[in-house]
Amino acid sequence: MAPITPASSLDLAGTRPAPLIDPFARAITYLRVSVTDRCDFRCVYCMSEHMSFLPKADLLSLEELDRLCSAFVAKGVNKLRLTGGEPLVRRGIMTLFASLSRHLDSGALKELTLTTNGSQLEKYAAELKGYGVERINVSLDTLDPDKFRAITRWGDLDKVLAGIDAAQAAGLKVKINAVALKGVNEDEINDMIAWAHGRGMDMTLIEVMPLGEVGETRLDQYVPLSLLRARLAERLTLEDIDYQTGGPARYVRVKETGGRLGFITPLTHNFCESCNRVRITCTGTLYMCLGQEDAADLRAPLRASEGDEPLHRAIDAAILRKPKGHDFVIDRRQQRPALARHMSVTGG
Ligand code: SAM
Ligand code: SF4
């Protein structure tokens, strides 16, 4: 692929565009980009076994993704996370990391990172580090190879563990994200914490969110983290700390291990009041909230002009529509997905 030509971070008048402030006075400084809706796994809470994916022709090119991300960086976004689907299965993805790293060099971006299932990390960890990536999130819900296969349907635990080894060897800081699944990994959380903290990795537990039809009812998968936390507290000393990563996780320090444990609880505790993020899909659709349908098309303004003016106007208009929050519910009356969209579209 040809090298990506950097887009300017200045507007036509040579000044920086106004930063993004939503109607609730929240500054939007964090952009998550789903670079592909495809994945080499089929996790039971994320995808159905037989997914239909977008035609490749609908996807933004890597050059267009760079332009889009750069427009947000020009508007004050200082943290960029590439996700998916599985970001590392997108062909040529390293050229996007390479080109986006110029915003780290310029100081406009404080962090360039990714969320990955780890399957390709062995191959890419060193290169990612070379492009300025410092910390990554690896999703891993179990350390049991059979359970791992059952959860991911297609995944191989050994490959992911080798990926984590490679990431740590390359000097990347790894955080483990585990979705709490009723009757599946509930009994393993203690061991996973000991494993992650023993290797110097933070760990975050996530509640299942009702996104997309996955062929099982959410009630079967959902376990409130308030319950898991209470159970953990019977065996471990969980000390509240005010550590922040700019995300929705609330952290405790586990006294026995010395490591940090985060809880992401969109259902038992809504974290919208401090939301600083928006998400774009691989087709250039901007979602102002993970839990709402409203979206703005950025592909048309992106393609309408070689300059970024129409794109900046479209971004400004969309941010003014960012809602106050989401309203996910999982209970016996509400067993349908809250949203038809799968997590792999917006990247979580
Ligand atoms: N494929 C990459 C991975 O698995 O890390 C990145 C994309 S994945 C959609 C991002 C995160 O969303 C993963 O940690 C995954 O466990 C989580 N996730 C997917 N579907 C979810 C759901 N319905 N509820 C809660 N978390 C979900
Ligand atoms: Fe793929 Fe990540 Fe979704 Fe699992 S959670 S199916 S690895 S996108």
Side-chain angles (χ1 to χ4, degrees):
M1 201 190 82
I4 296 173
T5 318
S8 167
S9 62
L10 301 181
D11 68 8
L12 295 175
T15 54
R16 276 192 183 279
L20 297 167
I21 308 287
D22 81 358
F24 303 95
R26 296 170 298 195
I28 306 307
T29 55
Y30 181 9
L31 176 68
R32 299 173 67 109
V33 187
S34 176
V35 297
T36 174
D37 62 334
R38 291 167 195 253
C39 186
D40 51 348
F41 292 1
R42 292 288 181 277
C43 301
V44 290
Y45 47 80
C46 179
M47 294 194 181
S48 64
E49 189 155 14
H50 304 287
M51 293 284 289
S52 35
F53 293 109
L54 293 162
K56 292 220 168 101
D58 286 2
L59 262 55
L60 294 184
S61 68
L62 294 170
E63 290 85 349
E64 288 172 322
L65 281 170
D66 177 273
R67 244 186 93 196
L68 205 46
C69 292
S70 300
F72 278 91
V73 171
K75 284 183 164 292
V77 160
N78 57 33
K79 177 169 175 180
L80 203 53
R81 178 178 300 277
L82 303 194
T83 172
E86 174 47 41
L88 297 182
V89 301
R90 170 112 194 217
R91 186 169 307 172
I93 191 67
M94 285 301 127
T95 49
L96 184 58
F97 278 101
S99 69
L100 290 174
S101 70
R102 73 186 182 281
H103 297 304
L104 289 171
D105 298 338
S106 76
L109 212 52
K110 287 192 198 143
E111 185 166 23
L112 173 62
T113 184
L114 80 156
T115 299
T116 174
N117 66 21
S119 69
Q120 312 295 315
L121 263 182
E122 208 177 356
K123 186 159 138 203
Y124 290 128
E127 226 177 318
L128 286 168
K129 175 75 178 157
Y131 295 136
V133 175
E134 297 290 346
R135 305 185 306 164
I136 62 171
N137 289 353
V138 179
S139 305
L140 179 63
D141 307 323
T142 177
L143 291 171
D144 175 314
D146 296 328
K147 273 193 207 171
F148 185 81
R149 174 54 66 117
I151 293 170
T152 61
R153 293 195 182 101
W154 295 2
D156 175 357
L157 178 64
D158 283 341
K159 271 195 91 173
V160 173
L161 295 179
I164 293 172
D165 288 343
Q168 290 196 298
L172 293 169
K173 272 199 100 45
V174 178
K175 177 164 79 73
I176 300 294
N177 281 347
V179 175
L181 295 165
K182 189 170 167 180
V184 178
N185 61 0
E186 282 177 88
D187 59 340
E188 227 195 303
I189 303 297
N190 264 309
D191 293 345
M192 287 190 73
I193 293 170
W195 169 79
H197 289 178
R199 297 183 51 139
M201 303 186 290
D202 288 348
M203 182 164 150
T204 296
L205 295 169
I206 306 174
E207 275 174 353
V208 175
M209 292 174 235
L211 297 181
E213 194 59 73
V214 291
E216 298 185 36
T217 79
R218 297 288 171 184
L219 206 59
D220 291 342
Q221 300 179 335
Y222 173 60
V223 47
L225 288 189
S226 47
L227 188 75
L228 274 191
R229 183 176 170 152
R231 272 194 227 143
L232 288 173
E234 287 168 12
R235 294 173 55 185
L236 298 170
T237 318
L238 308 180
E239 301 171 332
D240 281 320
I241 49 175
D242 62 5
Y243 175 71
Q244 284 285 343
T245 57
R250 275 148 212 260
Y251 281 89
V252 296
R253 166 128 8 239
V254 179
K255 196 171 172 200
E256 289 75 5
T257 61
R260 279 186 294 242
L261 177 66
F263 296 88
I264 299 187
T265 54
L267 291 130
T268 52
H269 179 99
N270 189 307
F271 44 66
C272 303
E273 68 280 356
S274 57
C275 183
N276 61 351
R277 64 194 56 198
V278 290
R279 297 169 164 86
I280 46 181
T281 70
C282 54
T283 55
T285 303
L286 174 68
Y287 283 95
M288 287 73 84
C289 172
L290 178 64
Q292 302 280 359
E293 293 286 9
D294 189 28
D297 172 40
L298 297 182
R299 184 172 55 183
L302 180 80
R303 290 183 176 170
S305 153
E306 285 194 1
D308 285 341
E309 273 290 285
L311 182 58
H312 282 293
R313 275 199 302 273
I315 294 172
D316 289 340
I319 296 301
L320 290 179
R321 303 206 311 265
K322 185 167 162 66
K324 193 166 181 195
H326 66 68
D327 27 50
F328 292 138
V329 191
I330 297 183
D331 66 21
R332 292 187 188 279
R333 278 156 290 141
Q334 174 77 38
Q335 295 211 9
R336 308 276 315 147
L339 293 175
R341 198 168 78 231
H342 287 91
M343 189 71 110
S344 49
V345 174
T346 35

